[in-house]
Amino acid sequence: MSTSTKPKRIGILTAGGDCPGLNAAIRGVGKTAIVKYGMEVLGFNAGYSGLINCDYFELKESQLSGILTLGGTILGTSREKPYKLVKNGKKEIDKPEKIKQTYNELGLDCVVCIGGNGTMKTASMLAKEGLNVVGIPKTIDNDVWGTDVTFGFDSAVQIATDAIDRLHTTANSHQRVMIIEVMGHQAGWLALYSGLAGGGDIILLPELNYNIRSVCKKIESRYEENKPYSIVVVAEGITHPKGKSAALHVSEAIQTYTGIETRETVLGYTQRGGSPSAMDRILATRYGAFAAECIADGNFGSMVAIKNNEVTTVPLEVVGGKLRLVKPEFSLIDKARKMGVSFGDEFL
Ligand code: F6P
């Protein structure tokens, strides 16, 4: 006797800062869910706002074609935090309740939440309220706890590295010190990797306490060694006065203390734009396809992750709200120091 089982109906949302690879992840989830498991897929617009407002559209397989290489997210995103108290410390509406209403009225079997640590924290709280959720870690910052790497990171490293490469030629022509500020929120992964890939002479990370005197001494010693220009890569999260960019703060200090002509560039949102790198397309596809498999297996309440290049899952309650920062003892830092790269914490 055939038992007709209703096809699973799943929702997908993308939340937090956008990054290259989001559409590759949506495609990975959607194609696997539809083609392999015959699921129905709904795309929710603008992150958690779409769940709160029941703002969605059906994602058909045809709509998943041509988006692998597309930057941004076809679903849009927002930084909506449903559990955050709003306006004058009281909840205007019970947003988690609205999300549960949407989930139940649409008969969803699961929601795939693609985002960073804030998104995972909300997903974890929704799971505690009984919703089936699966998280996929994305961010150019690479600071999501529980996974070795997030998609978006590789693309941003390449964008920042291309920019640093260009600064070498103009710094050399003018014999200047060039400061470039990269994103990364409170983590230094983007600055560390692009700084090393771009041949940075000095790399300042939020996780290592830099000292401007040490930075200036390094630049002066380079000058004395007939190295007339220097490239300084700073993470946006390093210590600097409010209202002034990290790059400008460091640039002004160098110019003042050394008298060497210095210029600064804040790379900004270009690190979040454009088509994903090949590695990010692969990683986002792996995450998306594995998330769909987790749903088919009834494995909810977890975030998909990469550990030693193998896909796995990590409980959302372990991930939520934590940051994965660069460890000072990270071997790459040691290797860089041995090659003469300064992290601004020497001479102390
Ligand atoms: O989390 C990604 C990120 O680009 C961070 O590197 C950066 O600090 C932040 O988002 C910027 O936030 P927003 O897009 O809200 O300006």
Side-chain angles (χ1 to χ4, degrees):
M1 180 179 76
S2 74
T3 51
S4 65
T5 50
K6 187 172 75 65
K8 281 191 184 336
R9 170 181 274 190
I10 68 171
I12 305 177
L13 65 85
T14 53
D18 75 320
C19 72
L22 278 168
N23 289 317
I26 293 166
R27 175 180 176 274
V29 178
K31 274 187 169 287
T32 309
I34 295 167
V35 174
K36 171 68 181 164
Y37 299 113
M39 296 179 189
E40 279 181 74
V41 181
L42 305 184
F44 284 86
N45 294 311
Y48 287 111
S49 301
L51 274 181
I52 294 167
N53 304 319
C54 199
D55 178 9
Y56 70 95
F57 62 96
E58 189 177 351
L59 261 177
K60 297 214 180 295
E61 199 201 343
S62 58
Q63 289 160 292
L64 297 169
S65 298
I67 67 168
L68 171 65
T69 60
L70 189 62
T73 161
I74 60 171
L75 301 179
T77 184
S78 72
R79 290 191 181 277
E80 172 64 58
K81 292 183 170 49
Y83 288 91
K84 216 161 174 69
L85 289 180
V86 288
K87 291 204 181 110
N88 318 319
K90 68 175 175 47
K91 281 196 177 92
E92 269 186 308
I93 54 166
D94 188 341
K95 295 179 178 179
E97 194 50 43
K98 298 284 281 182
I99 289 175
K100 283 184 273 186
Q101 273 174 20
T102 297
Y103 184 96
N104 294 323
E105 282 166 13
L106 294 177
L108 292 177
D109 294 287
C110 180
V111 179
V112 177
C113 304
I114 307 175
N117 25 66
T119 304
M120 295 306 128
K121 186 174 180 186
T122 299
S124 164
M125 294 166 88
L126 291 172
K128 286 197 179 85
E129 300 217 39
L131 273 61
N132 292 334
V133 294
V134 172
I136 297 181
K138 72 87 202 158
T139 175
I140 65 168
D141 305 338
N142 199 32
D143 63 356
V144 175
W145 184 271
T147 186
D148 290 346
V149 62
T150 58
F151 72 81
F153 176 63
D154 183 70
S155 300
V157 169
Q158 189 58 57
I159 293 164
T161 301
D162 290 347
I164 295 167
D165 289 351
R166 294 173 186 281
L167 290 180
H168 277 271
T169 60
T170 179
N172 191 18
S173 307
H174 288 262
Q175 315 244 306
R176 281 171 168 167
V177 177
M178 280 290 177
I179 319 288
I180 179 166
E181 177 183 319
V182 299
M183 285 183 156
H185 195 34
Q186 296 170 31
W189 295 107
L190 209 32
L192 178 61
Y193 276 66
S194 62
L196 292 179
D201 305 301
I202 299 171
I203 302 172
L204 303 184
L205 308 179
E207 298 91 337
L208 297 177
N209 292 322
Y210 77 99
N211 180 296
I212 205 67
R213 275 183 302 111
S214 163
V215 172
C216 293
K217 274 179 182 286
K218 175 69 180 177
I219 287 169
E220 285 169 337
S221 63
R222 283 179 51 81
Y223 219 74
E224 283 142 25
E225 294 157 17
N226 289 321
K227 294 170 183 172
Y229 79 91
S230 294
I231 301 292
V232 183
V233 181
V234 306
E236 65 174 343
I238 64 167
T239 309
H240 66 277
K242 275 214 176 313
K244 187 182 283 189
S245 72
L248 183 58
H249 170 62
V250 174
S251 173
E252 286 177 345
I254 291 169
Q255 179 101 23
T256 303
Y257 295 137
T258 68
I260 299 170
E261 216 178 10
T262 306
R263 294 293 186 273
E264 67 282 343
T265 301
V266 178
L267 205 45
Y269 293 87
T270 53
Q271 297 159 95
R272 300 237 299 257
S275 182
S277 67
M279 293 310 289
D280 270 343
R281 296 176 197 181
I282 299 293
L283 181 56
T285 298
R286 283 182 81 183
Y287 276 151
F290 187 52
E293 290 172 21
C294 290
I295 296 166
D297 296 343
N299 179 2
F300 303 120
S302 300
M303 177 187 81
V304 296
I306 291 273
K307 288 281 182 193
N308 306 318
N309 203 28
E310 292 296 331
V311 285
T312 182
T313 56
V314 180
L316 279 165
E317 66 203 4
V318 169
V319 173
K322 281 194 204 130
L323 286 180
R324 191 178 73 98
L325 301 176
V326 179
K327 289 193 171 74
E329 64 276 11
F330 183 32
S331 60
L332 205 47
I333 292 178
D334 177 55
K335 302 234 172 351
R337 288 189 197 275
K338 284 176 178 149
M339 292 167 56
V341 175
S342 165
F343 290 88
D345 56 357
E346 300 86 4
F347 311 120
L348 293 181

